[in-house]
Amino acid sequence: MPWVAVPYADEARRSRLNRLYGIQGIPTLIVLDSQGEVITRQGRVEVLNDIECREFPWHPKPVLELTDSNAVQLNEGPCLVLFVDSEDDGESEAAKQLIQPIAEKIIAKYKAKEEEAPLLFFVAGEDDMTDSLRDYTNLPEAAPLLTILDMSARAKYVMDVEEITPEIVEAFVSDFLADKLKPEPI
């Protein structure tokens, strides 16, 4: 490796780093800035999605398109997932634009309190991975479909409406954060 690394034999230092950064498995790649602040905990996913490292150092995006390589993030905590019909090429991008201001607002609010945002935000199109996720969580095939999935709590929250608007997304997120929604089991 051409970069500074902790020797595998240095178990004490590895253990401290695991506790400090909440590392639960390997391989894990956490990217830090020059002050030691976390840029991303998803370095491994970012490398897989950006092999030529054009977007390095991979500052987090407020809204991600759900892919095979980043689906592991669904296990990190509650995730808002907006399912869309990706047969319409512009629909996925339009969905990202719809939820991005809400995601940015939530992220900024928690960053100001020096806390991690309580939700990750995804847009999911029609593909095999999305179909598997729908099957696993027993979600209807509707599109658009607004959900919050909390895999660790084995809970889902579903808003099945004809049209997803920024107001609907914001109210759904606010109700979730205020613990006003009733979870359904996954």
Side-chain angles (χ1 to χ4, degrees), residues 9 22-25 38 40 42-44 46 53 57 67-68 70 72 76 78 83 106 118 127 133 137 141 144 177-178:
I23 297 169
Q24 296 180 355
V38 174
T40 182
Q42 303 303 321
R44 182 174 185 271
E46 296 296 349
C53 298
T67 64
D68 288 336
N70 68 16
V72 69
E76 293 184 4
F83 292 89
I106 296 291
D127 58 25
L133 179 60
T137 56
E141 290 297 320
L177 295 175

Side-chain angles (χ1 to χ4, degrees), residues 29-70:
L29 177 60
I30 297 173
V31 180
L32 307 174
D33 65 16
S34 59
Q35 286 77 42
E37 297 295 318
V38 174
I39 293 174
T40 182
R41 296 179 180 280
Q42 303 303 321
R44 182 174 185 271
V45 170
E46 296 296 349
V47 168
L48 292 172
N49 288 331
D50 183 22
I51 294 171
E52 295 177 3
C53 298
R54 290 189 174 136
E55 296 183 26
F56 180 80
W58 305 298
H59 291 279
K61 296 179 181 101
V63 181
L64 299 170
E65 186 149 346
L66 192 60
T67 64
D68 288 336
S69 60
N70 68 16

Side-chain angles (χ1 to χ4, degrees), residues 9-173:
D10 189 345
E11 196 168 321
R13 195 163 19 159
R14 284 189 304 113
S15 181
R16 284 193 310 271
L17 288 170
N18 288 346
R19 282 192 308 277
L20 179 64
Y21 294 109
I23 297 169
Q24 296 180 355
I26 55 173
T28 297
L29 177 60
I30 297 173
V31 180
L32 307 174
D33 65 16
S34 59
Q35 286 77 42
E37 297 295 318
V38 174
I39 293 174
T40 182
R41 296 179 180 280
Q42 303 303 321
R44 182 174 185 271
V45 170
E46 296 296 349
V47 168
L48 292 172
N49 288 331
D50 183 22
I51 294 171
E52 295 177 3
C53 298
R54 290 189 174 136
E55 296 183 26
F56 180 80
W58 305 298
H59 291 279
K61 296 179 181 101
V63 181
L64 299 170
E65 186 149 346
L66 192 60
T67 64
D68 288 336
S69 60
N70 68 16
V72 69
Q73 291 177 271
L74 293 173
N75 295 313
E76 293 184 4
C79 299
L80 181 134
V81 182
L82 176 53
F83 292 89
V84 297
D85 180 6
S86 66
E87 289 176 18
D88 178 355
D89 290 339
E91 192 167 345
S92 183
E93 192 56 40
K96 281 185 197 174
Q97 296 303 316
L98 181 126
I99 61 177
Q100 184 152 340
I102 297 151
E104 289 172 344
K105 182 177 170 183
I106 296 291
I107 292 166
K109 175 182 174 183
Y110 283 85
K111 187 173 186 173
K113 297 191 288 187
E114 296 185 1
E115 296 177 14
E116 290 210 24
L119 277 173
L120 295 175
F121 295 83
F122 292 93
V123 171
E126 291 292 323
D127 58 25
D128 291 341
M129 200 282 305
T130 300
D131 291 342
S132 296
L133 179 60
R134 283 182 187 265
D135 289 344
Y136 178 75
T137 56
N138 198 26
L139 288 170
E141 290 297 320
L145 181 67
L146 184 62
T147 67
I148 293 175
L149 302 175
D150 189 346
M151 299 302 205
S152 61
R154 300 197 43 79
K156 65 183 175 186
Y157 306 83
V158 181
M159 167 115 0
D160 190 2
V161 294
E162 283 292 312
E163 182 181 355
I164 307 289
T165 65
E167 295 77 23
I168 287 173
V169 175
E170 193 149 13
F172 187 55
V173 169

